[in-house]
Amino acid sequence: MNRTRLVLTGVAVAAAIAMAGCDPQPTSEGTATSPSPAASSAAPTGGAPTTATSATANDATTVKACADIKKDIKDNAAKITKAEKIGPPAGHFAVSAQWAAGSVAILAHSMGANQAVTAASEKVQNEMMGLSDAYNESADAKPSKKALEAAIKELDAACSAT
């Protein structure tokens, strides 16, 4: 059982590393080449870009993170449904692995988001890993997804506030 968990964790970490390199986050270069009016007015006095410029970049990153995470959740649900059709005993390993992979995708896409979205996405990620563990422990596992659904609602609320 520990060997399976180690393998699944290794696959999840490899997926996170691969996904992190695929979709780079916006950098401050974009604001340097096309400054906002607030940044332009601050530049002649020798000051740094204003907090509004940083907040705008952060909001854009957060909005993108929310969209990506919501897509990850939908994609993962479809893959879970497909894996569940395999049936025990092999199917429960596939379901466990998919929950772990889905949680890593969410973790990767939450990087750079604001604090509220990051905290909510971590809850979703933790619930997904909990489901992965439950399926890994028993071929007959039918764990409740209520905690995951509550975490997703919290994420939706955090994303709506941006």
Side-chain angles (χ1 to χ4, degrees):
M1 174 140 43
N2 286 335
R3 181 174 183 217
T4 303
R5 185 176 181 132
L6 180 62
V7 169
L8 293 176
T9 303
V11 170
V13 169
I17 292 169
M19 291 178 71
C22 292
D23 191 13
Q25 298 297 320
T27 62
S28 60
E29 288 181 79
T31 45
T33 58
S34 59
S36 68
S40 297
S41 64
T45 61
T50 64
T51 309
T53 304
S54 299
T56 302
N58 187 28
D59 288 344
T61 302
T62 299
V63 168
K64 182 177 181 341
C66 285
D68 290 346
I69 291 168
K70 288 178 182 182
K71 183 179 181 299
D72 290 338
I73 291 170
K74 282 184 179 181
D75 290 347
N76 193 60
K79 291 174 182 175
I80 291 291
T81 301
K82 187 176 179 181
E84 286 175 334
K85 290 179 182 178
I86 297 170
H92 79 280
F93 290 119
V95 172
S96 175
Q98 187 54 52
W99 279 119
S103 74
V104 171
I106 288 173
L107 185 64
H109 284 126
S110 68
M111 292 180 194
N114 70 24
Q115 188 175 7
V117 170
T118 299
S121 66
E122 284 178 10
K123 288 182 182 179
V124 172
Q125 187 264 339
N126 288 334
E127 292 302 327
M128 286 180 152
M129 282 306 295
L131 289 168
S132 173
D133 291 344
Y135 276 96
N136 195 33
E137 290 174 10
S138 170
D140 298 321
K142 296 288 181 195
S144 173
K145 296 176 187 166
K146 288 183 181 183
L148 175 61
E149 291 166 1
I152 291 171
K153 285 181 183 178
E154 188 176 324
L155 175 67
D156 289 341
C159 286
S160 295
T162 59

